[in-house]
Amino acid sequence: MGDKWSLLIIRDLMFSKSCTYGDFLKSPEGIATNILASRLQVLEECKIIEKLDHPDSKAKVLYRLTRKGVDLVPILLEINLWADKYLSIPDERKAMVKEMKRDKLGFIKAMAKNWKLEALVVAPSPKAI
Amino acid sequence: MGDKWSLLIIRDLMFSKSCTYGDFLKSPEGIATNILASRLQVLEECKIIEKLDHPDSKAKVLYRLTRKGVDLVPILLEINLWADKYLSIPDERKAMVKEMKRDKLGFIKAMAKNWKLEALVVAPSPKAI
DNA sequence: CCGGATCCGTTTCGATACTG
DNA sequence: CAGTATCGAAACGGATCCGG
């Protein structure tokens, strides 16, 4: 499951707000629908992501990183740092990389914490508030 | 160049003593000769590895990580830590992972240092001494 | 509409045999 | 030893169709 597309899905889950099938499709790299579906399935079987019912509509599905998935953050972080040094990085991600550099451990902890918060926030629909 | 085989080549260069075409072929994963050749070429084009003449024989070729390649160490390290937590790791690598955990920064620095030493050691043939 | 599944032409991969 | 050549198998990707 360490292929290009899986990595991009994980990246989107971590660093963008992407969490639905449609979100991943919109990613600039342009994944095909069949590839996306198969990768999501593999990642779910590996227990790196999990499916949740979307609070708003039955037709939507939420994807979320599991603990095993969140533990991939340090790897993605190092990849970002390397890419920042040797490749060109999209502007929108520069601030994040800067923060990674400034406080690596803090960044990782913040990510893990965000995940717990989001678990609570997602459950009740915004409309229900 | 972030595919399975390229990663394994880099891993071998970093953590095993592998540095020739033949060494990589002997890796337990069993890469095919044509794939190996193509990946070595790509990695060289990306300036992650470089070719050197083998000091002993014209027929041999040494591959070595460049600075850009050595800078991948933190990524491989984090992958090892994750794999150690969630997958089963070969016994021979357990000691190394333990050392990585104990002193992450020290490990990375040691790797970088080793590289400079090896650069000096490799140049003159052992026979010439 | 959203989340997929299916079909199909094209590209890439990879095992083996072979060459310098 | 360090690679090419060949060729079947697998993966990709685009378009389209299906179910809730």
Side-chain angles (χ1 to χ4, degrees):
Chain A
M1 98 300 152
D3 73 304
K4 171 186 171 184
W5 293 119
S6 304
L7 204 69
L8 290 175
I9 293 172
I10 295 171
R11 179 205 62 182
D12 284 350
L13 271 169
M14 276 186 195
F15 305 133
S16 312
K17 298 293 179 192
S18 305
C19 53
T20 72
Y21 187 93
D23 289 339
F24 303 133
L25 270 186
K26 282 173 211 140
S27 232
E29 288 82 5
I31 187 170
T33 64
N34 52 351
I35 308 294
L36 174 56
S38 82
R39 290 309 185 282
L40 287 172
Q41 199 178 326
V42 170
L43 287 173
E44 198 187 350
E45 282 163 8
C46 294
K47 310 243 186 237
I48 287 176
I49 65 174
E50 59 190 350
K51 264 182 176 177
L52 278 77
D53 293 335
H54 196 290
D56 290 349
S57 110
K58 296 278 180 196
K60 281 194 174 182
V61 181
L62 277 179
Y63 290 95
R64 195 174 45 155
L65 290 173
T66 61
R67 173 67 195 281
K68 187 174 173 183
V70 174
D71 280 346
L72 290 168
V73 167
I75 300 179
L76 280 276
L77 182 146
E78 293 297 345
I79 292 176
N80 266 285
L81 293 183
W82 187 87
D84 177 55
K85 187 167 178 182
Y86 290 108
L87 311 168
S88 61
I89 261 194
D91 285 350
E92 36 171 322
R93 228 181 318 153
K94 293 209 172 153
M96 195 178 58
V97 169
K98 201 169 178 183
E99 179 59 21
M100 287 175 178
K101 271 193 234 173
R102 199 182 63 74
D103 181 13
K104 203 181 280 193
L105 227 68
F107 184 90
I108 292 171
K109 288 203 174 145
M111 291 289 298
K113 205 170 177 184
N114 278 343
W115 234 256
K116 283 187 207 162
L117 287 178
E118 187 154 348
L120 299 175
V121 168
V122 156
S125 159
K127 291 183 181 175
I129 299 176
Chain B
M1 101 294 153
D3 74 304
K4 171 187 170 183
W5 294 119
S6 303
L7 205 68
L8 290 176
I9 293 172
I10 295 171
R11 179 205 63 182
D12 284 352
L13 272 169
M14 276 185 195
F15 303 133
S16 313
K17 299 292 179 194
S18 305
C19 54
T20 72
Y21 187 93
D23 290 338
F24 303 134
L25 271 187
K26 283 175 211 138
S27 233
E29 288 83 6
I31 188 171
T33 61
N34 54 347
I35 306 297
L36 174 55
S38 83
R39 292 308 187 281
L40 286 173
Q41 196 180 328
V42 171
L43 287 173
E44 198 187 349
E45 281 164 7
C46 292
K47 312 246 187 233
I48 287 176
I49 64 175
E50 58 191 348
K51 264 182 175 177
L52 279 77
D53 293 335
H54 195 291
D56 289 351
S57 105
K58 295 279 179 196
K60 280 193 173 183
V61 181
L62 275 179
Y63 289 94
R64 195 173 46 152
L65 290 172
T66 61
R67 173 68 195 280
K68 187 175 174 182
V70 174
D71 279 345
L72 290 167
V73 166
I75 300 178
L76 279 276
L77 182 145
E78 293 297 346
I79 292 176
N80 267 285
L81 293 183
W82 188 88
D84 178 54
K85 187 167 180 184
Y86 290 107
L87 311 168
S88 61
I89 260 193
D91 284 350
E92 35 171 323
R93 229 182 316 154
K94 292 207 173 155
M96 195 178 60
V97 169
K98 201 168 177 181
E99 178 59 20
M100 287 176 179
K101 272 192 235 176
R102 200 181 62 72
D103 181 13
K104 203 180 281 191
L105 227 70
F107 184 91
I108 293 171
K109 289 207 173 137
M111 290 288 300
K113 205 171 177 185
N114 277 344
W115 234 257
K116 282 188 207 159
L117 287 178
E118 188 154 348
L120 299 175
V121 168
V122 155
S125 161
K127 290 183 182 176
I129 298 179

